[in-house]
Amino acid sequence: MNETVRQAHSQDPVSIPVEGMTCASCVRRVETAAAKVPGVLSSSVNFATKKLTIEPADGFSARVLGAAIKKVGYDIAPERQEFLVEGLHGEANAERLNAVLDAVATIVAVKVDVASAKVAVDMIGGRRERDSLVETARLAGFTLKTPRAHDHSAHHGHHGHHQGQAHEAAGATGGHDHMQHAGEEGALKRDLTIAAILTAPLFVLEMGGHLYEPMHHWLMSIVETQNLYYVYFVLATAVIFGPGLRFLKTGFPALLRGAPEMNSLVALGVTAAYLYSVVVTFAPDLLPEEARFVYYEAATVIVTLILTGRLLEARASGRTGDAIRKLMSLQAKTARVERDGATIDISPEDLMAGDIVVIRPGERLAVDGEVVEGSSYVDESMISGEPVPVEKTIGATVVGGTINKTGAFKFRATKVGADTMLSQIIRMVEEAQGSKLPIQLLVDRVTALFVPVVIAIAVLTFIVWAIFGPEPAYTFALVNAVAVLIIACPCAMGLATPTSIMVGTGRAAELGVLFRKGQALQELRSAQIVVVDKTGTVTKGRPELTDLVVAEGFADNEVLTLVAAVEGRSEHPIAEAIVRAAEEKKVATPAGLEPATVENFESVTGYGIAATVNGRRVEVGADRYMAKLGHSVDIFAEAAARLGDEGKTPLYAAIDGRLAAAIAVADPLKPLSVTAIRALQAMGIEVAMVTGDNERTANAIARQVGISRVVAEVLPEGKVKAIHEMRAGGKVLAFVGDGINDAPALAEADIGIAVGTGTDVAIESADVVLVGGDLLGAVNAIEMSRATIRNIKENLFWAFGYNAALIPVAAGVLYPAFGITLSPMIGAGAMALSSVFVLANALRLKRAKVAHREVTL
């Protein structure tokens, strides 16, 4: 059985939400703990998404991982999945199913209920892991099915049908994260409200007296100072051990484990100010008279301000995941499928490859497939960026998430679950958002040391002030040490990089650019050379009728109809292009082209073809065929020369013994290729072309788009060699391609960019995928890479600069010269603002402008 489990279980990276992480120093701790777990090849934490991503191997267990994370003070949050079980008869069966599922590496807990024939599992991972679980059960003789919406019991909360389905179909946890964010935000809002209500009177009474002398005298006349301290004590105790308890519960255990973090700084600072004030209130004789001051208001204001910062942070962090939620909203909620002679509505995750899916007007397609009956127009703007709906007839490919317009059709599901294009797009965006850039590794190393260093600085500050400070020395020592602890929160440092990555990659996805690997996001901004493949990248990748030049006495439609009728009998790709052009013309001008009767068809090998169409003799072929028939092609000499310069070889048509037209069929440029290449060159990037096509055609295309460096007539390994040579001297090179033959080149380049309309092999070999299918996506990708890295640098400059500047001020370096010290309250406000500033700056990327059109994901 364990062998079965191992075969069924995917070894792809798995992301797990982690609870209790509050600052950048937590990141290193969780990563280190996870890395030590047997069967974990690598571990990486994204502080913005609060997720741990691990690469599991044989021997991995989610239970062991959970225990290791718990040991260092945090908790993993597995996803609850519920299934109906077919084949569950009696307790013995239930125990066997329990044992089978329990052995799956991604399972944290299993509960089998015989009475309701249901099984509930807590597991990590997404759709792939769920599929492997279902497969494992099937191999053991059990069928697991997802309950329908009405089968879900109320207590499942965020695992309800729609969100559960959206989550599973994507292999993502967007719905779960969204609910988690909402819950976190609600708790913070409640705590902040309580803290603010209790802090306000304390702050007004204490600080009002300091700022406005008459108020101080008035207060002293109606309340004795000692009694006032008792009121302050009650209010402060309620704030610190109510809303502020979250900092103490996390901060002190971390300190005792020898791994202090941001909450430890807050807990130490607040507790020090509070305990000092308690001593002044209840045992004043322990302190000299000049040191008897209370700091209840400082402690409570610190808690209130930090909660304010956390709430603003939670709100902003919630917005960083908008891209994933927007993608998830494109998923169908149900699928209508033909099974056992009946048409039934099922959950999309229960669809299987080969199912016949029925689509009505206005419905969203649940999965990818191939049309088997009917026809319609489908809005594919989410993939292509093109607003015009695409006609779908029998044999056409359709994509899950797109919207059917007016017609009705049936299609056979070819890719389901995690294999659909939309699921793959969501997975790519999630992986990019959770990825760690090289720049982040340095930040993590610094923040891991940061908190212990700050505590050391605070202790040193206290000692120096206590020994050398003016009277009341203990008071100055305490206030400045607390100010150091409070102002030095490393939150901003921890958020600086991951928030920019999340927002930047989300924005890139809206522009049709998917970063499959995080490192590409950092490297692409430095690209000095962009090498493009020709066929399918610069050009459309399939021949089209590009030119039809008719002789005097002939009409375009007439010639095209007759030539297409003859070519309809040929299987040559050129013939296919001519027939397609005639069909498109027929759609545009239905009255202009009549159906043709073709007789006496003959093919003259190496020359051309001929036939009688509606009683007229039509001959189509190369110039040598025309010469053989006795027709001179000189009247088209000028057109032939122009076509030759464009890399096109003309064909000629004769009708009823007269030369009628020159025809060119070629692989035309994509509409935006010239714009994209000019944009790349304007960015200071050299553009080169490497292609397997013949040199004459390649050079002609290069001339049209403005590329001067061309390597033609090379095999796939030749492309790799050409890239190697162009990169000489350490230049950063990006390669853009779409075909199977481009896979080695995509892998060889520093950054491989696959055009999304290409093959799966090309996409798997790439670091970046362009969903829209044109070169403008490469321009958008580079612009977003530059904007995101610039944003990260701004954030890091602010986060580190802020700490470097204000920690010495808080410690009191300005006091000897200027008499300036920093209040812990100002420190708390500044600390909260630093995190909010970093998040607000990262969110600016949501509005990042690129020079070119967007794909409407």
Side-chain angles (χ1 to χ4, degrees), residues 534-535 538-539 643-649 665-669 689 691-705 707 710-713:
K534 181 184 80 70
T535 310
V538 177
T539 64
L643 294 171
D645 288 342
E646 292 172 8
K648 301 169 185 172
T649 306
V665 169
D667 180 8
L669 289 175
M689 184 193 287
T691 178
D693 211 341
N694 73 69
E695 199 155 342
R696 181 164 170 264
T697 307
N699 284 325
I701 292 291
R703 269 197 306 278
Q704 287 178 59
V705 296
I707 294 175
V710 180
V711 179
E713 298 179 22

Side-chain angles (χ1 to χ4, degrees), residues 813-854:
V813 294
L814 297 180
Y815 187 80
F818 305 101
I820 294 172
T821 58
L822 195 65
S823 155
M825 285 185 285
I826 294 171
M831 186 209 80
L833 281 173
S834 71
S835 294
V836 173
F837 175 89
V838 162
L839 278 157
N841 190 47
L843 286 168
R844 286 193 312 120
L845 284 170
K846 287 181 87 160
R847 298 186 300 278
K849 292 282 183 284
V850 293
H852 314 291
R853 69 145 174 79
E854 301 182 19

Side-chain angles (χ1 to χ4, degrees), residues 21 45 74 119 160 173 198 245 299 309 339 361 375 575 641-642 714 748 831:
M21 290 196 301
V45 169
Y74 308 93
V119 60
T173 50
L198 295 173
L245 190 63
R339 280 194 185 161
S375 65
R642 174 179 62 80
V714 288
E748 170 66 23
M831 186 209 80

Side-chain angles (χ1 to χ4, degrees), residues 91-133:
E91 284 297 336
N93 250 341
E95 281 175 27
R96 194 164 69 84
L97 176 61
N98 199 94
V100 167
L101 298 182
D102 217 27
V104 175
T106 51
I107 294 293
V108 178
V110 180
K111 187 184 176 192
V112 181
D113 185 347
V114 182
S116 62
K118 281 183 182 176
V119 60
V121 297
D122 289 339
M123 65 182 294
I124 62 170
R127 175 68 196 233
R128 284 183 187 279
E129 284 70 25
R130 176 190 173 280
D131 287 351
S132 77
L133 184 77

Side-chain angles (χ1 to χ4, degrees), residues 270-286:
V270 167
T271 310
Y274 173 76
L275 291 177
Y276 186 91
S277 306
V278 169
V279 171
V280 171
T281 306
F282 296 101
D285 295 341
L286 295 176

Side-chain angles (χ1 to χ4, degrees), residues 34-288:
K36 290 176 182 170
V37 172
V40 173
L41 296 177
S42 67
S43 67
S44 169
V45 169
N46 183 313
F47 180 47
T49 58
K50 304 287 195 291
K51 275 186 187 171
L52 162 68
T53 301
I54 53 122
E55 200 180 329
D58 288 344
F60 169 74
S61 161
R63 268 201 197 85
V64 176
L65 177 72
I69 301 297
K70 195 169 186 66
K71 200 172 175 185
V72 292
Y74 308 93
D75 284 300
I76 63 168
E79 183 80 4
R80 168 64 59 93
Q81 303 274 1
E82 195 172 87
F83 302 94
L84 297 171
V85 189
E86 290 178 8
L88 190 64
H89 309 294
E91 284 297 336
N93 250 341
E95 281 175 27
R96 194 164 69 84
L97 176 61
N98 199 94
V100 167
L101 298 182
D102 217 27
V104 175
T106 51
I107 294 293
V108 178
V110 180
K111 187 184 176 192
V112 181
D113 185 347
V114 182
S116 62
K118 281 183 182 176
V119 60
V121 297
D122 289 339
M123 65 182 294
I124 62 170
R127 175 68 196 233
R128 284 183 187 279
E129 284 70 25
R130 176 190 173 280
D131 287 351
S132 77
L133 184 77
V134 172
E135 178 63 10
T136 301
R138 189 188 67 76
L139 293 170
F142 300 96
T143 303
L144 302 187
K145 294 232 167 150
T146 310
R148 298 283 299 282
H150 57 264
D151 294 330
H152 277 252
S153 52
H155 71 267
H156 283 121
H158 67 261
H159 304 292
H161 178 66
H162 286 186
Q163 257 145 349
Q165 169 211 321
H167 158 70
E168 288 150 12
T173 50
H176 175 254
D177 292 346
H178 192 42
M179 301 301 279
Q180 211 173 16
H181 265 299
E184 187 185 343
E185 216 176 292
L188 280 165
K189 203 183 285 183
R190 181 200 64 222
D191 285 357
L192 176 59
T193 305
I194 295 166
I197 289 168
L198 295 173
T199 300
L202 205 165
F203 181 77
V204 169
L205 291 172
E206 179 63 17
M207 295 309 291
H210 288 307
L211 298 171
Y212 185 56
E213 191 114 350
M215 182 180 170
H216 174 71
H217 294 309
W218 170 77
L219 199 59
M220 292 301 102
S221 68
I222 59 165
V223 188
E224 225 183 288
T225 304
Q226 195 60 33
N227 289 339
L228 201 58
Y229 284 177
Y230 294 147
V231 173
Y232 290 171
F233 166 75
V234 171
L235 291 171
T237 303
V239 171
I240 291 162
F241 296 98
L245 190 63
R246 60 171 65 218
F247 304 119
L248 311 185
K249 270 166 65 179
T250 318
F252 284 121
L255 194 62
L256 294 171
R257 280 194 301 270
E261 35 95 297
M262 175 244 159
N263 288 300
S264 306
L265 297 181
V266 177
L268 279 172
V270 167
T271 310
Y274 173 76
L275 291 177
Y276 186 91
S277 306
V278 169
V279 171
V280 171
T281 306
F282 296 101
D285 295 341
L286 295 176
L287 293 167

Side-chain angles (χ1 to χ4, degrees), residues 664-682:
V665 169
D667 180 8
L669 289 175
K670 286 184 176 177
L672 298 168
S673 290
V674 177
T675 313
I677 287 159
R678 284 187 184 151
L680 288 168
Q681 290 164 339

Side-chain angles (χ1 to χ4, degrees), residues 593-612:
L593 301 165
E594 286 89 30
T597 309
V598 181
E599 298 166 317
N600 308 323
F601 177 82
E602 59 177 304
S603 174
V604 185
T605 308
Y607 285 91
I609 55 175
T612 303

